[in-house]
Amino acid sequence: GQNIDQPTEMTATEGAIVQINCTYQTSGFNGLFWYQQHAGEAPTFLSYNVLDGLEEKGRFSSFLSRSKGYSYLLLKELQMKDSASYLCAVINSNYQLIWGAGTKLIIKP
Amino acid sequence: GAVVSQHPSWVICKSGTSVKIECRSLDFQATTMFWYRQFPKQSLMLMATSNEGSKATYEQGVEKDKFLINHASLTLSTLTVTSAHPEDSSFYICSAGEGANDYNEQFFGPGTRLTVL
């Protein structure tokens, strides 16, 4: 089967750094996405990784290791508005998008 | 950035009626659009892939006769929920890809919240 695992919920403090992990097992790989979704809203694109390594975009960075089937999303200088669900999704060899269940991130003052 | 709109934003209807949801790419052409459904506190579930000028590809377990998809042009796809029932109440989201590889970056519409009474 195909599955994507990410923690259900994480808690972090405002101003701190948090890393959200995602491991995947899919039939082939054509890229991995991270999305942010606030409650009641559509997801917002954060990053796309298809090659190994770290991609940095401001306070957010995404890392990929294809050999390990592993990615993480790193959020720095956390702000209260970063409280949201973070979704990991992988494109398999059939160009199907496989979604993780999402990680609910709670930011405390 | 590219913008995807959906209409309506929310709809309340009686059981047994049909509801049409529109998804438009406002400033780019999308040969492929995707329709998702999301129940409260759950992840997005892909329902179907909509291809301009051809039949949609439905995910396993999604009834194609109940969820009619029409991708009439490069900027418009519609999802019609036929004979809606309370269990169809959900958040319906579309997305569209820009560029040669539609998966490189998907832009999501704001979603349509459907409540069936």
Side-chain angles (χ1 to χ4, degrees):
Chain A
Q2 304 187 88
N3 64 281
I4 295 183
D5 292 314
Q6 47 181 135
T8 304
E9 186 174 298
M10 298 181 71
T11 303
T13 305
E14 189 177 15
I17 298 174
V18 71
Q19 177 174 311
I20 303 175
N21 295 325
C22 170
T23 57
Y24 61 89
Q25 291 177 309
T26 57
S27 55
F29 177 84
N30 276 304
L32 183 145
F33 293 94
W34 282 99
Y35 287 91
Q36 179 191 61
Q37 186 181 28
H38 287 100
E41 299 180 11
T44 303
F45 172 84
L46 290 178
S47 65
Y48 171 72
N49 294 67
V50 67
L51 299 176
D52 290 348
L54 186 67
E55 298 262 352
E56 298 187 68
K57 275 188 182 181
R59 293 190 300 115
F60 293 3
S61 302
S62 57
F63 170 83
L64 174 68
S65 169
R66 288 172 295 173
S67 62
K68 295 181 180 179
Y70 167 70
S71 172
Y72 68 72
L73 179 69
L74 190 70
L75 292 75
K76 303 176 184 176
E77 301 170 17
L78 286 171
Q79 302 174 10
M80 297 304 293
K81 66 178 182 179
D82 297 328
S83 292
S85 286
Y86 290 85
L87 304 170
C88 173
V90 170
I91 309 169
N92 66 10
S93 56
N94 293 325
Y95 285 94
Q96 296 172 311
L97 200 57
I98 313 299
W99 289 90
T103 298
K104 182 178 180 181
L105 178 63
I106 300 168
I107 310 296
K108 294 185 176 180
Chain B
V3 179
V4 175
S5 71
Q6 276 184 245
H7 178 80
S9 300
W10 56 270
V11 58
I12 301 173
C13 68
K14 293 182 179 180
S15 184
T17 60
S18 293
V19 176
K20 180 186 284 188
I21 302 170
E22 293 186 349
C23 177
R24 293 182 185 272
S25 56
L26 297 185
D27 49 4
F28 67 99
Q29 293 184 331
T31 55
T32 304
M33 290 184 175
F34 306 89
W35 286 97
Y36 299 85
R37 181 167 52 181
Q38 185 179 36
F39 292 105
K41 299 183 180 180
Q42 296 184 23
S43 184
L44 293 175
M45 292 174 52
L46 179 64
M47 298 176 66
T49 303
S50 169
N51 300 295
E52 187 268 335
S54 64
K55 291 183 179 180
T57 303
Y58 289 81
E59 295 300 300
Q60 193 172 10
V62 178
E63 300 175 58
K64 59 181 67 176
D65 293 331
K66 181 171 182 62
F67 299 98
L68 302 179
I69 292 173
N70 185 346
H71 196 149
S73 74
L74 287 171
T75 59
L76 172 64
S77 176
T78 60
L79 168 68
T80 301
V81 183
T82 62
S83 186
H85 288 94
E87 58 265 31
D88 298 323
S89 297
S90 187
F91 193 41
Y92 291 86
I93 305 170
C94 74
S95 71
E98 181 183 35
N101 182 341
D102 288 330
Y103 273 108
N104 277 348
E105 185 169 353
Q106 289 192 45
F107 299 95
F108 285 86
T112 297
R113 189 165 300 282
L114 171 64
T115 301
V116 184
L117 303 177

